[in-house]
């Protein structure tokens, strides 16, 4: 009966695998039992698993034994540091009473579990970068919207001024006052008379009155400089 590997060093949380090989001249019709042991602190054997040749697999707590005759695979699942110790297998045959064959010991050392790297650092950095990117995009959108509003306001202001519309609260442009200046022109009044009939002066009526229409040219306003 052999038990190997002779030494295993594994971190906590993993699994340890040993193999126990048995060799008999004739295995047909033989009855036996294969036990798996662990040495305790007081050098006492503690049976942790057992399997018969008619069983393919057996599981006891965290110990799993699989039958691959003439080899048996023995696994310790979910290792803890208190699983460290010496292990071996023992073959018990029933065709020869009280015949027990033990393998050599194999030693298992379970170390502390490796420190987990902070896998959340990178996602946090990526999340922070995403937030910064979103903020930059929003800021750009706000600046663009502000520029559009200013352009529209400027366009409307220019349009109102060109159309003579004064925005509310604004002042009209100052225009120079118009000053009228009176002038005096001297001229000669000419009266038209009927040239066809000549009436002697002595026949004119004494109270005859002549009327004339005086037309003055339109005055143009003068803007003082």
């Amino acid at each position: 009966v052999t038990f190997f590997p002779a030494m295993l060093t594994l971190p906590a949380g993993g699994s340890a695998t040993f193999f126990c090989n048995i060799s008999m001249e004739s295995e047909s019709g033989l009855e036996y039992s294969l036990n798996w042991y662990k040495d305790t602190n007081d050098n006492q054997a503690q049976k942790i698993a057992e399997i018969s040749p008619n069983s393919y697999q057996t599981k006891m707590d965290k110990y799993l034994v699989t039958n691959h005759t003439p080899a048996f695979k023995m696994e310790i699942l979910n290792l803890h540091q208190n699983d460290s110790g010496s292990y071996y297998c023992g073959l018990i045959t029933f065709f020869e009473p009280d015949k027990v064959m033990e393998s050599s010991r194999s030693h298992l050392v379970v170390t502390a579990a490796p420190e987990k790297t902070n896998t959340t650092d990178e996602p946090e950095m990526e999340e922070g970068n995403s937030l910064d990117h979103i903020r930059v995009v929003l800021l750009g959108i706000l600046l663009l919207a502000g520029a559009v509003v200013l352009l529209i306001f400027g366009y409307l202001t220019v349009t109102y001024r060109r159309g003579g519309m004064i925005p509310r609260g604004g002042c009209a442009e100052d225009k120079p006052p118009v000053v009228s200046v009176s002038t005096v022109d001297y001229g000669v009044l000419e009266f038209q008379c009927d040239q066809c009939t000549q009436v002697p002066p002595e026949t004119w009526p004494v109270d005859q009155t002549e009327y004339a229409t005086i037309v003055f040219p339109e005055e143009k306003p003068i803007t003082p400089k």
Side-chain angles (χ1 to χ4, degrees), residues 13-224:
S15 61
T17 302
F18 294 96
F19 291 93
C20 181
N21 283 0
I22 62 174
S23 178
M24 292 183 292
E25 294 180 357
S26 177
E27 298 179 1
S28 60
L30 297 181
E31 294 185 3
Y32 62 88
S33 177
L34 186 66
N35 294 340
W36 188 9
Y37 301 98
K38 177 184 179 182
D39 282 339
T40 60
N41 294 332
D42 54 359
N43 293 326
Q44 296 295 323
Q46 174 189 359
K47 186 172 78 171
I48 55 178
E50 177 183 358
I51 190 170
S52 65
N54 298 324
S55 299
Y56 170 71
Q57 193 175 72
T58 182
K59 187 176 187 300
M60 298 179 65
D61 298 331
K62 56 189 292 182
Y63 304 99
L64 178 64
V65 181
T66 306
N67 187 351
H68 298 289
T69 308
F72 292 83
K73 182 180 180 181
M74 298 180 173
E75 298 175 87
I76 307 175
L77 309 176
N78 191 20
L79 289 173
H80 292 85
Q81 287 187 292
N82 58 6
D83 291 324
S84 298
S86 296
Y87 294 85
Y88 65 97
C89 61
L91 178 65
I92 302 175
T93 59
F94 302 112
F95 56 90
E96 293 183 11
D98 299 330
K99 185 173 182 180
V100 179
M101 293 177 287
E102 294 182 356
S103 68
S104 59
R105 269 62 172 170
S106 294
H107 195 66
L108 172 65
V109 176
V110 180
T111 60
E115 295 183 0
K116 294 181 179 180
T117 57
N118 191 1
T119 56
T120 59
D121 289 345
E122 293 183 359
E124 287 178 358
M125 292 177 61
E126 292 179 359
E127 183 178 357
N129 292 335
S130 299
L131 291 176
D132 292 340
H133 179 70
I134 293 174
R135 290 172 182 171
V136 171
V137 171
L138 291 177
L139 182 60
I141 293 175
L142 291 176
L143 292 176
L144 181 60
V148 171
V149 171
L150 289 176
L151 289 175
I152 294 175
F153 180 76
Y155 173 77
L156 293 177
T157 302
V158 172
T159 303
Y160 290 159
R161 289 187 179 276
R162 287 182 178 177
M165 300 179 63
I166 301 174
R168 183 178 299 176
C171 298
E173 294 182 359
D174 294 335
K175 295 182 178 180
V178 179
V179 180
S180 297
V181 179
S182 299
T183 59
V184 178
D185 286 337
Y186 296 92
V188 178
L189 296 179
E190 294 182 358
F191 298 94
Q192 295 179 356
C193 61
D194 191 359
Q195 298 179 358
C196 296
T197 52
Q198 297 290 333
V199 179
E202 59 274 7
T203 61
W204 290 353
V206 177
D207 58 350
Q208 186 177 359
T209 304
E210 296 289 339
Y211 296 93
T213 302
I214 302 174
V215 178
F216 296 94
E218 182 181 355
E219 295 183 355
K220 294 182 181 182
I222 301 174
T223 302

